[in-house]
Amino acid sequence: MTPPLIAVLNGPNLNLLGMREPEKYGHSTLDDVEALCAETAEELGLAIDFRQTNGEGELVTWVQECRGRAAGIIINPAGYTTTSIALLDSLLAVGLPVIEVHITNIHRREEFRHHSYVSKAATGVIAGLGVEGYALALRAMAGLVAPAADEDDQDDEA
């Protein structure tokens, strides 16, 4: 049986993790986050497709490609959190469970960071728990996609 695929999508500047403002974002690199996600996914019986882009259009395209391919989306939209209606629209269009992740607590930061368009499409939001938020998101996603996987198993048995 193929494990459910979870897209883990990362927006702009996350390629600079570990170098950019480590006092806010910590010292873990994006490679460290990917390793954490791969380890957590394996433990949970999930597969991941881990990606990062600085381009809004590319991120929207990746979300659209999840339709019919992925069981859910975990997304750290980074700078597109507060600006991208196109990203919101693509997340709503795919009809998948979405968990929004932020390394910092966006509600304790500058006022303009408090509003998230992505949250309007998200099943849940994890913010302020550092890179561990990605592992927590995968655990939550496993619970969200498990009923669908169980239904598929029952359909196969019928």
Side-chain angles (χ1 to χ4, degrees):
M1 184 170 117
T2 305
L5 178 67
I6 307 303
V8 183
L9 306 178
N10 295 277
N13 297 315
L14 288 167
N15 56 308
L16 300 176
L17 272 180
M19 298 176 284
R20 176 179 173 242
E21 300 181 85
E23 68 281 359
K24 285 184 186 156
Y25 300 106
H27 295 281
S28 296
T29 66
L30 194 61
D31 287 341
D32 296 334
V33 175
E34 183 174 9
L36 171 65
C37 288
E39 180 180 313
T40 305
E42 184 176 352
E43 170 189 324
L44 297 168
L46 300 172
I48 62 166
D49 180 5
F50 190 96
R51 301 181 186 192
Q52 186 277 329
T53 184
N54 290 321
E56 182 179 18
E58 186 169 34
L59 191 56
V60 168
T61 297
W62 289 347
V63 169
Q64 292 174 357
E65 289 171 351
C66 288
R67 185 182 199 132
R69 187 177 76 86
I73 299 170
I74 293 171
I75 187 166
N76 184 339
Y80 296 131
T81 303
T82 61
T83 63
S84 185
I85 294 169
L87 184 57
L88 166 63
D89 288 347
S90 66
L91 289 164
L92 290 170
V94 296
L96 295 171
V98 174
I99 299 179
E100 179 182 1
V101 174
H102 296 282
I103 295 168
T104 64
N105 182 345
I106 61 174
H107 302 289
R108 294 187 71 184
R109 297 191 56 196
E110 304 92 341
E111 184 72 28
F112 74 89
R113 295 186 192 275
H114 297 185
H115 173 76
S116 169
Y117 284 107
V118 171
S119 291
K120 294 187 181 308
T123 308
V125 179
I126 298 172
L129 299 176
V131 298
E132 185 62 27
Y134 285 86
L136 294 169
L138 280 162
R139 291 183 191 292
M141 187 62 76
L144 293 171
V145 302
D150 290 346
E151 288 172 15
D152 289 346
D153 288 348
Q154 289 174 0
D155 289 345
D156 291 345
E157 293 171 7

